């Protein structure tokens, strides 16, 4: 058994509370949470009590100077995170930061260039990249199980309203990052799509703000053309309910559908193959971070990969 990763948390907001706690619990044998910090200290103290973290630091600088911390998870507003990513790398700490890489593609490229000066590992935590059934979708396509690709549909449609905790975060109301929720959430499906069929070579789209609280854009409808010749559509809307597959790919031999909980392949003759995620994706993400830092495993997803997800979303929102 490898030694345990000594992890500090920068930011103890919604994502750490709602998404990371079960993963940290499942990874007690691989990760020690040694310290945390948050702009509002009381929230860090509350989180530390719930997560069993022994030390709360007043500031990020203090946490980065703590020799007990070998790696950090940065969970801050999208446009705020990069400066802390660089500060942590400068301090010699390995970094995983939340998706997307930065506020926009240009800022993400600058961050990548600056981060390359440091030796410590730098990863972007896109948890959908740790869903085994996303890899299965890509394998079906690569193995020719769908035949020649014909159409690709992506539907990122959901209700983001008062009932959702994310709706209430002030930095999402007047976002300093490109594309509001469409990009913030969309990078996940962009990753699954790009792994399966690559980037579209052409996009032409429309955008709208239909629910004023979801500024600057909450709806896009985009046509896409892929190198394979397949044509596609991407619809995002954050003020309407929709069930069903988020991604559907058709080909001459079958159709594959994908949701965050299941992938399904139906052959032209009607044979059905299903694939489900093997574990919680945040558990996979943090285990991988521990493997990279402690055991020197090659990163499965690089910041250049996740920059591609952001770049695609920015193209889709711009409509070209
Ligand atoms: N992978 C996923 O599925 C997923 C889901 C949700 C979010 N995320 C990502 O997680 C990150 C955090 O999102 P969240 O929903 O957890 O947001 P959040 O609840 O608002 O948490 C952000 C934290 O950053 C702190 N903060 C805000 N502005 C700051 C500043 N200028 N300087 C330093 N600290 C600042 C806040 O401190 P205060 O307590 O003082 O406000 C808060 O604790 C984002 O990058 C988001 O994209 C990922």
């Amino acid at each position: 058994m490898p030694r345990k990763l000594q992890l500090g948390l920068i930011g103890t907001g919604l994502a750490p509370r709602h998404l990371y706690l079960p993963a940290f619990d499942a990874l007690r044998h691989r990760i020690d949470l040694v310290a945390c910090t948050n702009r509002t200290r009381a929230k860090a103290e509350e989180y530390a009590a719930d997560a069993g973290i022994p030390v709360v630091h007043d500031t990020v600088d203090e946490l980065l100077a703590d020799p007990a911390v070998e790696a950090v998870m940065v969970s801050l507003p999208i446009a705020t995170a990069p400066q802390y990513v660089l500060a942590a790398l400068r301090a010699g700490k390995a970094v995983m930061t939340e998706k997307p890489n930065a506020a926009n593609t240009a800022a993400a490229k600058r961050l990548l260039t600056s981060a390359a000066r440091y030796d410590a590992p730098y990863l972007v935590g896109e948890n959908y990249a740790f869903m085994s059934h996303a890899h299965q979708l890509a394998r079906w396509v690569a193995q020719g199980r769908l035949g020649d690709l014909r159409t690709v549909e992506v539907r990122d449609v959901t209700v983001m309203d008062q009932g959702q905790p994310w709706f209430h975060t002030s930095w999402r109301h007047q976002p300093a990052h490109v594309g509001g929720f469409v990009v913030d959430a969309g990078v996940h499906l962009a990753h699954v799509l790009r792994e399966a069929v690559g980037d579209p070579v052409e996009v032409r789209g429309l955008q709208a703000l239909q629910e004023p609280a979801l500024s600057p854009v909450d709806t896009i409808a985009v046509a896409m053309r892929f190198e394979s010749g397949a044509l596609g559509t991407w619809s995002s809307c954050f003020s309407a309910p929709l069930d069903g597959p988020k991604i559907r790919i058709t080909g001459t031999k079958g159709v594959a559908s994908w949701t965050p909980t299941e992938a399904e392949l139906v052959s032209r003759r009607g044979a059905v193959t299903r694939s489900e995620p093997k574990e919680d994706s945040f558990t996979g993400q943090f285990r991988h971070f521990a493997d990279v830092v402690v055991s020197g495993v090659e990163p499965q997803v690089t910041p250049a990969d996740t920059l591609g997800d952001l770049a695609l979303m920015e193209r889709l929102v711009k409509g070209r």
Side-chain angles (χ1 to χ4, degrees):
M1 179 69 69
R3 69 171 177 80
K4 293 202 233 175
L5 179 72
Q6 304 298 297
L7 185 65
L9 301 186
I10 299 177
T12 57
L14 290 173
R17 175 158 296 283
H18 291 274
L19 306 173
Y20 307 170
L21 280 178
F24 290 146
D25 204 35
L27 292 169
R28 279 174 191 282
H29 60 300
R30 297 296 316 277
I31 297 178
D32 278 337
L33 297 176
V34 291
C36 66
T37 188
N38 189 65
R39 183 178 63 176
T40 304
R41 186 184 160 99
K43 226 157 84 182
E45 282 171 358
E46 201 180 322
Y47 189 83
D50 293 344
I53 301 175
V55 176
V56 174
H57 287 296
D58 276 335
T59 64
V60 173
D61 284 347
E62 216 178 82
L63 181 136
L64 293 178
D66 182 344
V69 174
E70 70 170 336
V72 295
M73 177 67 201
V74 178
S75 186
L76 297 175
I78 294 165
T80 308
Q83 60 185 296
Y84 294 101
V85 168
L86 288 177
L89 290 172
R90 210 176 296 126
K93 312 291 184 188
V95 177
M96 177 173 268
T97 184
E98 265 295 351
K99 43 54 54 178
N101 297 38
N104 52 54
T105 309
K109 284 181 179 166
R110 286 196 298 275
L111 175 57
L112 212 59
T113 304
S114 301
R117 288 191 219 123
Y118 304 102
D119 292 333
Y122 158 47
L123 283 81
V124 177
E126 261 195 24
N127 61 299
Y128 276 40
F130 295 89
M131 292 180 171
S132 56
H133 68 310
H135 308 316
Q136 186 58 59
L137 178 72
R139 271 196 298 276
W140 286 335
V141 173
Q143 291 164 351
R145 300 277 298 272
L146 278 78
D148 295 332
L149 300 188
R150 293 296 193 238
T151 66
V152 177
E153 296 160 68
V154 183
R155 303 186 304 168
D156 200 8
V157 178
T158 188
V159 176
M160 183 56 64
D161 65 6
Q162 303 278 348
Q164 302 294 321
W166 327 103
F167 179 88
H168 301 280
T169 47
S170 57
W171 61 273
R172 288 188 174 96
H173 284 172
Q174 298 290 327
H177 61 274
V178 66
F181 279 105
V182 172
V183 172
D184 179 357
V187 289
H188 289 306
L189 289 181
H191 192 86
V192 179
L193 178 80
R194 293 177 65 246
E195 185 181 343
V197 297
D199 272 300
V201 291
E202 187 183 354
V203 304
R204 294 187 202 181
L206 301 171
Q207 57 156 273
L209 178 60
Q210 308 204 71
E211 168 49 63
L214 301 175
S215 170
V217 53
D218 68 344
T219 308
I220 62 171
V222 186
M224 305 183 284
R225 182 192 303 278
F226 293 86
E227 201 166 7
S228 63
L231 298 183
T233 55
W234 182 302
S235 313
S236 293
C237 178
F238 284 82
S239 53
L242 181 76
D243 278 337
K246 296 266 189 189
I247 297 176
R248 186 187 286 130
I249 305 171
T250 70
T252 50
K253 290 187 185 168
V255 52
S257 307
W258 194 89
T259 74
T261 54
E262 188 184 66
E264 184 186 78
L265 172 67
V266 182
S267 76
R268 199 163 168 163
R269 293 204 172 84
V272 179
T273 312
R274 291 203 174 86
S275 172
E276 288 177 7
K278 292 198 175 84
E279 68 175 346
D280 163 60
S281 56
F282 288 96
T283 305
Q285 170 183 305
F286 288 118
R287 179 191 299 108
H288 182 60
F289 189 32
D291 286 341
V292 169
V293 179
V294 173
S295 309
V297 165
E298 273 301 301
Q300 182 183 318
V301 189
T302 67
D305 296 331
T306 57
L307 189 152
D309 303 333
L310 171 60
L312 173 57
M313 290 316 302
E314 191 165 335
R315 282 173 73 199
L316 296 178
V317 161
K318 288 181 175 163
R320 60 195 146 75

